[in-house]
């Protein structure tokens, strides 16, 4: 029989990789907690309609990459390709805005996109993100960007660039669309077949295309910033002022659009230098989606957020970035009744908050010390028959092999230093 393996583009994350994951997730949780964001967990499976309406029908994610299926009852479902649409669905479904006019969520979880697998691009990957719902003012945009930058800094990633742009509001969109259609009309033959189609359905997407000819053709395209209404331009200027005030360095990237349709006004990316991911890598992406709550059936509610891919960030972390692993203490039982003594002692010490490994079967001292070594134990506590009769155990330093007999009643105090 063939051995079963993970699905193409999906990966096991093995125990030895976890200290880095925990470091990243704990850094994120600790930071967003300081800003008052609370965790929300939504299902990995949602109605297909959520993403069609939320992300947009003419986006690569919905058109090409989504795992959409009918279940056995005929319901049309999808594995979530991103976290925002689900968070907003949940916000509307539970009328959270009714109780908390300003809601601040964060999430961490697996997302699914059927993309061509490559380094840093998977079909199941993890994203974490934050959403600030219910604030219209640019102070929200500045806080979200500041929080994202502080997160990247807290991970020890240096040389990052913050790029911002504004896609304007509902009045901007049709004007800018027309300008793009007009600009590309003379160069249709230079665009890829996808972009020729996109120009009819969603011209903004052409600016996002990675095909070289399309990138070159788009180089002289009009800038959305020339089509902002006075109000959108004012919002953008105020955001820039707030970022200056915070000392957050940024660049305006007038050609930047992002791959999802729901963005309005501010969008931003944090890019880093990465050897593993090519010279430029987008680490964090986000922006405003002021119409998303309404588009998904709620009231008009301004919202801004960001998301980042955990695997891609992990590829950029240095070797030192990892949570400290607690030291292991090994308990060995020797002689008559040794196994029972060891198990009872291990149980007591674990209850007292120590990280203990203990043998599951009888064994010689030599074989148990070998096992202790394999676990990476720094101390072995040997519960031998003779010491037990005196109410003692042997305390062995696994690094240098030195040992001494100590009273059982002193163990708590000695172990305190190794918790
Ligand atoms: P997006 O939701 O497309 O704006 O992507 C946000 C972030 O998620 C990106 O900057 C990546 O770090 C990450 N990401 C998106 N797609 C993938 C993928 N297929 N595999 C791994 N990470 C991804």
């Amino acid at each position: 029989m063939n051995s079963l393996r993970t699905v193409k583009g999906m990966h096991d994350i093995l125990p030895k990789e976890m200290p880095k994951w925990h470091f990243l997730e704990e850094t994120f949780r600790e930071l967003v907690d300081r800003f008052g964001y609370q965790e929300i967990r939504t299902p990995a499976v949602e109605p297909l309609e959520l993403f069609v309406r939320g992300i947009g029908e003419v986006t690569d994610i919905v058109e090409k990459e989504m795992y959409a299926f009918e279940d056995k009852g005929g319901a049309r479902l999808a594995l979530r390709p991103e976290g925002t649409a689900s968070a907003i669905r949940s916000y509307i479904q539970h009328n959270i805005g009714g109780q908390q006019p300003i809601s601040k969520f964060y999430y961490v979880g697996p997302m699914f996109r059927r993309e061509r697998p490559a380094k840093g691009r998977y079909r199941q990957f993890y994203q974490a993100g934050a959403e600030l719902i219910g604030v219209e003012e640019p102070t929200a945009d500045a806080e979200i960007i500041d929080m994202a930058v502080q997160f990247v800094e807290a991970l020890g990633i240096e040389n990052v660039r913050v790029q911002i742009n504004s896609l304007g509001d509902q009045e901007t969109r049709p004007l800018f669309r027309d300008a793009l259609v007009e600009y590309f009309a003379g160069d249709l033959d230079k665009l890829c077949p996808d972009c020729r189609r996109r120009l009819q359905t969603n011209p903004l997407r052409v600016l996002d295309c990675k095909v070289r000819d399309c990138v070159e053709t788009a180089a002289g395209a009009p800038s959305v910033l020339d089509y902002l209404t006075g109000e959108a331009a004012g919002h953008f200027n105020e955001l820039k002022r707030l970022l200056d005030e915070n000392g957050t360095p940024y660049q305006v990237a007038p050609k930047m659009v992002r791959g999802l349709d729901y963005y309005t006004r501010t969008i931003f990316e944090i890019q880093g230098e990465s050897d593993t991911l090519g010279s430029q890598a987008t680490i964090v992406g986000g922006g405003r989606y002021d119409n998303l709550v309404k588009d998904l059936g709620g009231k008009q509610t301004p919202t801004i957020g960001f998301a980042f891919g955990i695997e891609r960030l992990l590829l950029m972390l240095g070797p030192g970035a990892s949570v400290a692993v607690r030291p292991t203490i090994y308990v060995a039982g020797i002689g008559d009744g040794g196994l029972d003594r060891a198990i009872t002692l291990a149980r007591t010490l674990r209850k007292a908050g120590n990280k203990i490994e203990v043998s599951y079967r009888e064994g010689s001292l030599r074989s148990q010390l070998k096992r202790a070594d394999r676990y990476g134990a720094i101390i072995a506590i040997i519960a031998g028959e003779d010491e037990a009769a005196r109410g003692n155990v042997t305390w062995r330093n696994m690094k240098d092999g030195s040992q001494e007999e100590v009273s059982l009643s002193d163990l708590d105090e000695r172990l305190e230093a190794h918790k």
Side-chain angles (χ1 to χ4, degrees), residues 99-333:
Q99 305 129 42
Q100 254 172 258
I102 296 177
S103 300
K104 303 199 275 189
F105 299 151
Y106 77 89
Y107 59 83
V108 181
M111 309 295 162
F112 305 84
R113 295 182 195 175
R114 200 174 181 289
E115 294 191 78
R116 195 170 47 77
K119 181 138 196 138
R121 189 166 63 220
Y122 314 109
R123 292 181 170 181
Q124 173 173 330
F125 59 99
Y126 283 74
Q127 267 188 353
E131 318 286 353
L132 170 43
I133 308 175
V135 186
E136 168 94 43
E137 289 77 1
T139 40
D141 310 39
E143 175 178 287
I144 278 282
I145 294 174
D146 186 29
M147 196 163 84
V149 171
Q150 285 195 36
F151 169 61
V152 173
E153 282 173 355
L155 294 177
I157 297 176
E158 287 166 352
N159 300 328
V160 296
R161 296 201 310 183
V162 182
Q163 301 206 309
I164 63 172
N165 196 16
S166 174
L167 296 180
D169 47 31
Q170 264 158 325
E171 284 173 55
T172 308
R173 208 46 87 89
L175 295 176
F176 184 51
R177 277 176 70 116
D178 290 350
L180 285 178
V181 172
E182 193 178 325
Y183 170 81
F184 285 111
D187 284 327
L188 280 184
D189 52 332
K190 294 193 188 132
L191 297 178
C192 72
D194 270 348
C195 280
R196 275 195 296 249
R197 190 173 45 78
R198 286 178 185 133
L199 202 57
Q200 307 298 320
T201 49
N202 193 349
L204 243 72
R205 292 275 75 79
V206 179
L207 299 181
D208 218 15
C209 184
K210 304 287 181 289
V211 175
R212 220 182 65 209
D213 284 348
C214 298
V215 174
E216 280 171 13
T217 312
S223 160
V224 63
L225 294 177
D226 294 331
Y227 296 85
L228 298 189
T229 57
E231 210 182 329
H235 184 100
F236 195 50
N237 286 335
E238 180 59 8
L239 168 62
K240 289 189 281 186
R241 192 189 67 79
L242 290 165
L243 291 176
D244 289 338
E245 195 89 348
N246 283 345
T248 306
Y250 62 87
Q251 293 161 344
V252 176
K255 291 281 162 54
M256 181 169 70
V257 293
R258 294 192 35 77
L260 295 84
D261 263 1
Y262 50 53
Y263 288 113
T264 51
R265 294 200 272 182
T266 309
I267 54 171
F268 72 97
E269 288 186 353
I270 301 179
Q271 297 179 341
E273 288 169 1
S274 159
D275 297 339
T276 30
L277 293 172
S279 57
Q280 278 303 314
T282 299
I283 308 178
V284 181
R288 254 190 192 279
Y289 13 92
D290 289 341
N291 301 318
L292 186 60
V293 179
K294 193 175 78 198
D295 289 348
L296 294 178
K299 292 192 202 122
Q300 177 72 37
T301 311
T303 303
I304 182 161
F306 67 77
F308 58 86
I310 295 184
E311 289 89 342
R312 283 198 202 166
L313 263 182
L314 288 177
L315 287 171
M316 302 181 78
L317 291 188
S322 148
V323 288
V325 178
R326 278 209 293 169
T328 297
I329 313 292
Y330 189 89
V331 175

Side-chain angles (χ1 to χ4, degrees), residues 352-407:
N354 300 288
K355 181 173 166 184
I356 304 291
E357 290 286 0
V358 63
S359 177
Y360 295 99
R361 57 182 76 103
E362 306 270 2
S364 67
L365 179 62
R366 215 174 98 89
S367 71
Q368 297 211 50
L369 289 181
K370 239 186 181 167
R371 213 169 296 138
D373 241 355
R374 215 171 298 141
Y375 283 124
I378 55 160
I379 303 290
I381 295 171
I382 304 160
E385 219 175 327
D386 296 347
E387 301 100 299
R390 294 188 287 271
N392 291 347
V393 287
T394 297
W395 176 274
R396 182 185 171 95
N397 182 324
M398 292 296 295
K399 266 197 205 124
D400 60 16
S402 62
Q403 325 194 134
E404 58 188 305
E405 195 167 319
V406 301
S407 162

